[in-house]
Amino acid sequence: MSVLGRAAARGAAVTFSAQGLRLLVQVAGIAVLGRLLSPTDYGLVAIVIVIVGYGELFRDFGLSSAAIAAPTLSDGQRDNLFWINTGIGVALAALLCAAAPLLGLVFGDDRLVLLSVVLSATFVLNGVSTQYRAVHARHLRFVALSTAEVAGQAAGVVVGISMALAGAGYWSLAGQQLSAQALTLVLLVRPHRWVPGWVDRTASVRSFIGYGSALLGSQLLTQVATSAAPLALGVRLGPASVGVFTRASQLVTMPLLQVQAPSTRVALPVLSRLTHERERFASFLLAGQLALLMVVGLAFAVLLAQAPSAVRVIIGPQWSAAVPVFQVLLVAGWFQAASYAGYWVYLAKGLTRRHLQLGLMTRPLMAAATVVAAQWGLQGAALAYAAGMALAWPVSLLWLRRVSDAPVGAMLRNGLRTGLVAVLAAAASWGSTAALPGGADLLRLVVGAGAALAVAAVAVLAWPSLRADVRKVTSMRHHLARRGPAGAPVAEPTTPARSTRAGRVAERTWVTAGLPAAVDRAVVAGALRRARRAADRGAGAQAPGQAPHVVIAAPGGGNIGDQALLEAFLENTTGPVLIPGGPLDGGPVLPPGLRSRVEVLEAPALVYGSGRAHRASLRAYGRALAGAGHVSVVGADVMDGTYSLRASVRRSTLAASAAGAGVDTRVVGFSWGASPRRAARRALARAARCGVRLMAREEVSARRLAADGIPGVESAADVVFAAATTDRSAADAILARTGPRPVALVNVSGLLAERVDLVEDHVRLVGALRRRGLAVVLLPHVWRGRAGDAAACAAVMERLDQDASADEVLLVQDVLSPAQVRGLAARAAVTVTGRMHLAVMSLMGGVPAITLATQGKVEGLMDLVGTPELCLEAAPGFAVRAVELVDEVLPAGSPARVAIAGSRERVTGLARRNLDGLPGAPSPAAPAVPAR
């Protein structure tokens, strides 16, 4: 899965779990306070909160969403946005204090004056916290954000209940509000390293204000539509009616906001990064919409059917007048939820002005209808509002279809399907409790919820489209891992996708049992016997020197290191080469000078396939062995089962089958981790006993192999050290853009990014390199979709200060050949990388390569060249030590440079040992071939 996919999935899980806790806290607070306070108490605070809500829109000014959705955000821009939000908050607080007497006059209640003054502090608290929330959301730090909000909510409830028990009346609601906001602010700021600087006049925020102003207009129109009813009721009927309406409204918005707000928090930063990838954008959008509507639909269905019981249980029997209003507003709430996915599209694609135009067409009419209907009391206002929301949903979809390429038809179908299920669930819930006694409220809620879930489950089982919807939601995290960056090659993942942990355990058990390997050997042996019998009856022996060399290559397909291994092998041998490959295993991508020697054996499922296709590939391999002169398995780091146990066992099995057939077979320069899989260890030991030469690419791996009881291991080096070609064309083009500065190559490994968040460390590292006068080239080394480096490098580029000139930091966006990477690495002053083969190609040119260690496979490489200190643990905080190492290795005569230069001839000889005895291979003792 991609970095973004993991972050989104993790963020969704954390956010919705936190919202579940927050909902429990809110329900507890409402249940207790609803029994301690009167409708008038709630009505007084609700009137002020409605007014504060208008001010909050101006205070935010859409800048929080603008900061989250922006492709880039410099420190100066972030500082400026902070002071804009804070300044607006202070100004609004002063304005509300000045207008407080007017509120008391309009609504005929002097208690509103002091209440308004106290609650004006809301503007200041939220103004300070706005950009802290945005930064947490922008960088997908959902744990910190959710913790702050849940803890603040809980503290507010405790304060509110304590004040109510002390007889504070409506002041307890004000205390709850302010204490929750104050603690949330403290918890948002405390874990954050960002301290706002003063206004930066060189950092323009004009685009953010343009984005936010249009969003502000849309939000104002929405606020007008939603606040029209309580304001009209307050003027006509007084605070008590406002209290009843807002209690019913809160019972609807409370569960709705627990889903809507956090879903937007997760969806907006993800969708903003996918705006140029239409299929992935649509896939994530539709999955998110389905998840939202499934949760909201079932919850609202139960609440609608069991509204009297829900009201009595949650806020008490004294609120029975709120029941019919509550039921009508539940219908309005579902249509509001149905419209929310469209709102994500407007935000993510920067279509806030289009959203404002939609609001201008719909919201004033809704507000006017609600005000008029308020003349018929509470139910009249609620019915008008619900009708407006029901009509606004299809209108919004039609408008969205006109202004964007969003999958509007699929969005409509999602809404209709989930809406129908909600109706059926509500009917089942109502019918299941019709015979129960009226006072058994808890029993009615439990039975009604069970009936609704049962009907929903039956509908899913009976309706194929719904089954597909459920599968889409449950596998939502995989919607972000389908393909890599636009234009990047995509290869078969080294770890085939599996649906469940049980499935993975079952496969490991099956492979470890040894039967699949035994079957593979039998299939290869049978095909080999038939091929040899056919050869004996046919053309006879093959001409000397024409027996092809069969090479089982590493996965390749966008992995520059895998490509470098194959090219180095071919550059140092002669004669025809046969490479099993195809759609699953990935065919070779070779420079023109090597293509004439290579033929691709049609065996696409040899390593990663299964079933009939795999058996057909095994038979093709067996036939190829009948005429093969040599077999080499490019081992790299895929032999110990770390990435794919099945593929590792198959490589060893294929090697054992070849050696058992009398073919000279070797596993070329490979690493062996500290914790290999048992089945991989057994398969490699069997291959060694069959006569396969095992060439460990450094001493650490050799010692581990010996300790694991694997015989006949030979010490070598990575075969890429024997590569002879260098292409300086890419280096010339890139360095022409960076100017005369020395260059540092920085690689951000997508594989590491899947395991640990190192973005901030890479940002600090790049900043330190720039301060030392180095231009920085961010260089992806693996381009395949899964665990590729392009997205990880882009994430760091996005976080960098945008005041850097174009020649200070450059992101390479083209796939380079191994020869081009070697040419670029040789011109660098230092390399910092999470990919071993980029380190190898830097060391070949005498350039120190500070390398982040994974799986214990980098230490041996650094020992080989005499620089063990250049191996760093891939953990948060690595940048501190990396910068220290940069300072140590930059001088021309540094010990690291001396050690690397002194080891070159020895390491090249060890690399050639992999090829000893093959046609055309140079002697391990031969001098290094000059690079060209």
Side-chain angles (χ1 to χ4, degrees):
M1 176 180 295
S2 68
V3 180
L4 189 56
R6 289 194 65 189
R10 183 172 60 249
V14 169
T15 302
F16 283 105
S17 298
Q19 290 305 116
L21 293 174
R22 192 176 180 186
L23 179 61
L24 291 176
V25 171
Q26 285 184 331
V27 169
I30 289 173
V32 176
L33 289 172
R35 288 165 170 81
L36 296 175
L37 302 176
S38 68
T40 300
D41 292 332
Y42 276 99
L44 287 168
V45 177
I47 291 171
V48 179
I49 291 298
V50 168
I51 303 302
V52 169
Y54 279 97
E56 275 291 286
L57 296 180
F58 284 97
R59 191 270 312 153
D60 181 83
F61 209 81
L63 297 180
S64 58
S65 296
I68 295 172
T72 59
L73 180 67
S74 70
D75 286 344
Q77 290 171 323
R78 184 171 51 183
D79 293 341
N80 291 349
L81 293 176
F82 171 84
W83 289 113
I84 290 173
N85 284 132
T86 303
I88 295 175
V90 171
L92 287 171
L95 182 62
L96 181 57
C97 290
L102 181 61
L103 286 180
L105 181 63
V106 170
F107 290 94
D109 198 316
D110 292 338
R111 291 174 292 181
L112 292 172
V113 178
L114 184 56
L115 188 61
S116 300
V117 172
V118 171
L119 286 176
S120 68
T122 297
F123 294 127
V124 179
L125 293 171
N126 287 340
V128 174
S129 68
T130 298
Q131 289 305 315
Y132 280 99
R133 291 177 189 271
V135 171
H136 280 301
R138 178 179 176 83
H139 299 297
L140 310 180
R141 297 170 187 153
F142 298 111
V143 173
L145 189 54
S146 298
T147 300
E149 292 180 343
V150 172
Q153 189 77 42
V157 168
V158 171
V159 170
I161 293 175
S162 300
M163 292 179 66
L165 289 172
Y170 59 86
W171 286 111
S172 59
L173 297 174
Q176 176 186 6
Q177 184 98 353
L178 294 177
S179 59
Q181 292 165 352
L183 182 60
T184 299
L185 172 60
V186 171
L187 294 178
L188 285 172
V189 173
R190 184 179 178 184
H192 211 295
R193 298 176 181 176
W194 170 52
V195 177
W198 188 234
V199 174
D200 185 350
R201 297 185 182 278
T202 65
S204 174
V205 293
R206 182 175 299 176
S207 61
F208 296 87
I209 293 175
Y211 178 105
S213 60
L215 182 57
L216 170 64
S218 301
Q219 293 172 336
L220 274 175
L221 291 169
T222 301
Q223 180 74 0
V224 167
T226 55
S227 63
L231 290 178
L233 290 170
V235 172
R236 183 174 182 272
L237 300 176
S241 65
V242 177
V244 172
F245 189 91
T246 55
R247 283 293 83 189
S249 179
Q250 187 178 27
L251 290 180
V252 175
T253 57
M254 181 177 63
L256 194 60
L257 289 176
Q258 304 315 307
V259 180
Q260 283 185 342
S263 64
T264 301
R265 183 180 301 155
V266 174
L268 180 54
V270 174
L271 290 173
S272 297
R273 289 162 170 78
L274 299 178
T275 52
H276 300 297
E277 299 182 54
R278 182 175 180 180
E279 291 183 3
R280 295 177 74 197
F281 183 96
S283 180
F284 184 81
L285 174 71
L286 294 173
Q289 183 198 25
L290 281 169
L292 179 70
L293 290 182
M294 286 178 179
V295 172
V296 171
L298 283 176
F300 280 17
V302 175
L303 291 173
L304 180 66
Q306 308 300 328
S309 296
V311 168
R312 284 194 292 267
V313 168
I314 298 174
I315 56 177
Q318 71 270 32
W319 294 91
S320 58
V323 171
V325 178
F326 176 49
Q327 290 176 310
V328 174
L329 292 180
L330 282 168
V331 177
W334 187 91
F335 283 105
Q336 183 179 347
S339 301
Y340 227 65
Y343 182 61
W344 299 341
V345 177
Y346 288 112
L347 294 183
K349 290 184 175 290
L351 299 173
T352 54
R353 292 190 180 278
R354 296 294 191 177
H355 190 251
L356 174 59
Q357 293 169 356
L358 172 66
L360 288 170
M361 291 185 288
T362 58
R363 300 303 183 185
L365 294 176
M366 290 175 58
T370 304
V371 170
V372 171
Q375 304 304 311
W376 286 274
L378 292 169
Q379 292 190 49
L383 286 169
Y385 179 71
M389 292 302 300
L391 291 173
W393 177 49
V395 171
S396 68
L397 289 179
L398 290 173
W399 184 251
L400 189 63
R401 181 179 182 180
R402 178 180 178 183
V403 302
S404 76
D405 59 353
V408 171
M411 294 167 70
L412 176 64
R413 291 189 292 272
N414 282 352
L416 293 177
R417 281 196 302 272
T418 54
L420 179 57
V421 172
V423 170
L424 294 174
S429 179
W430 179 83
S432 67
T433 60
L436 294 178
D441 292 323
L442 286 175
L443 179 63
R444 294 173 71 90
L445 287 173
V446 172
V447 172
L453 288 173
V455 167
V458 171
V460 168
L461 293 174
W463 195 348
S465 296
L466 280 176
R467 289 200 301 274
D469 290 344
V470 172
R471 285 194 299 269
K472 186 180 294 186
V473 170
T474 55
S475 62
M476 187 174 176
R477 63 187 295 173
H478 300 297
H479 288 279
L480 291 167
R482 292 184 175 179
R483 59 184 294 276
V490 178
E492 180 72 5
T494 53
T495 305
R498 304 180 182 92
S499 58
T500 64
R501 179 177 177 84
R504 293 193 295 271
V505 172
E507 179 169 346
R508 284 200 298 269
T509 303
W510 173 243
V511 172
T512 303
L515 185 58
V519 172
D520 285 0
R521 290 193 298 271
V523 173
V524 172
L528 176 62
R529 286 193 302 269
R530 289 190 293 272
R532 284 180 171 172
R533 285 197 298 267
D536 291 340
R537 294 192 300 268
Q542 198 162 15
Q546 296 301 309
H549 191 124
V550 178
V551 178
I552 300 175
N559 188 318
I560 298 175
D562 289 353
Q563 187 70 26
L565 286 164
L566 179 58
E567 291 186 16
F569 183 94
L570 295 174
E571 289 172 359
N572 286 276
T573 58
T574 58
V577 174
L578 190 63
I579 302 179
L584 287 180
D585 287 346
V589 181
L590 301 175
L594 298 175
R595 291 176 190 166
S596 59
R597 294 174 48 204
V598 176
E599 179 183 352
V600 177
L601 172 68
E602 289 299 323
L606 186 62
V607 176
Y608 292 107
S610 61
R612 183 179 301 175
H614 175 57
R615 291 190 295 274
S617 294
L618 288 170
R619 288 190 288 270
Y621 174 71
R623 292 191 294 270
L625 290 181
H630 308 271
V631 171
S632 292
V633 177
V634 179
D637 53 359
V638 292
M639 297 302 297
D640 58 7
T642 302
Y643 294 120
S644 170
L645 176 61
R646 179 175 60 175
S648 297
V649 170
R650 283 180 175 174
R651 286 188 176 90
S652 295
T653 301
L654 296 171
S657 296
V663 181
D664 177 11
T665 306
R666 67 193 68 198
V667 179
V668 176
F670 66 101
S671 295
W672 193 253
S675 302
R677 298 286 189 186
R678 179 185 175 189
R681 186 173 65 244
R682 288 171 51 188
L684 192 65
R686 181 183 181 89
R689 290 193 295 270
C690 290
V692 176
R693 295 179 64 184
L694 303 179
M695 317 299 292
R697 64 181 175 185
E698 22 78 12
E699 281 296 330
V700 172
S701 289
R703 290 194 296 269
R704 289 171 178 165
L705 286 160
D708 284 335
I710 298 174
V713 177
E714 304 175 45
S715 290
D718 193 286
V719 72
V720 173
F721 278 113
T725 58
T726 300
D727 182 349
R728 296 184 175 88
S729 61
D732 292 339
I734 291 171
L735 299 183
R737 297 172 59 185
T738 60
R741 297 180 182 84
V743 170
L745 296 185
V746 176
N747 163 260
V748 188
S749 166
L751 186 64
L752 292 180
E754 286 194 326
R755 303 171 183 174
V756 60
D757 184 3
L758 300 177
V759 171
E760 294 298 332
D761 276 285
H762 280 97
V763 171
R764 289 194 290 274
L765 170 66
V766 172
L769 293 171
R770 287 169 49 200
R771 288 191 294 273
R772 284 155 178 78
L774 295 169
V776 178
V777 175
L778 293 174
L779 180 63
H781 198 66
V782 174
W783 288 84
R784 57 167 143 253
R786 181 183 179 276
D789 300 348
C793 288
V796 172
M797 187 71 176
E798 180 182 324
R799 281 282 295 110
L800 292 173
D801 297 340
Q802 294 307 302
D803 59 347
S805 58
D807 62 348
E808 286 187 303
V809 183
L810 176 66
L811 173 61
V812 176
Q813 296 180 327
D814 299 318
V815 183
L816 305 184
S817 70
Q820 289 174 322
V821 172
R822 287 192 288 272
L824 179 59
R827 304 270 291 276
V830 66
T831 296
V832 183
T833 177
R835 296 289 185 176
M836 181 185 290
H837 275 113
L838 180 55
V840 168
M841 288 189 267
S842 296
L843 295 168
M844 290 173 65
V847 176
I850 300 166
T851 309
L852 302 184
T854 57
Q855 305 169 2
K857 297 179 180 179
V858 177
E859 293 88 339
L861 169 66
M862 292 306 171
D863 286 346
L864 191 66
V865 297
T867 58
E869 70 276 8
L870 299 187
C871 177
L872 294 182
E873 181 184 359
F878 85 86
V880 175
R881 179 56 182 155
V883 173
E884 293 174 353
L885 287 173
V886 168
D887 291 335
E888 292 174 12
V889 304
L890 276 180
S894 66
R897 291 184 184 273
V898 172
I900 293 167
S903 67
R904 181 176 180 183
E905 185 173 347
R906 175 178 56 84
V907 173
T908 301
L910 288 172
R912 289 174 177 167
R913 186 177 292 177
N914 289 285
L915 314 173
D916 184 30
L918 299 180
S923 167
V929 178
R932 60 183 186 274

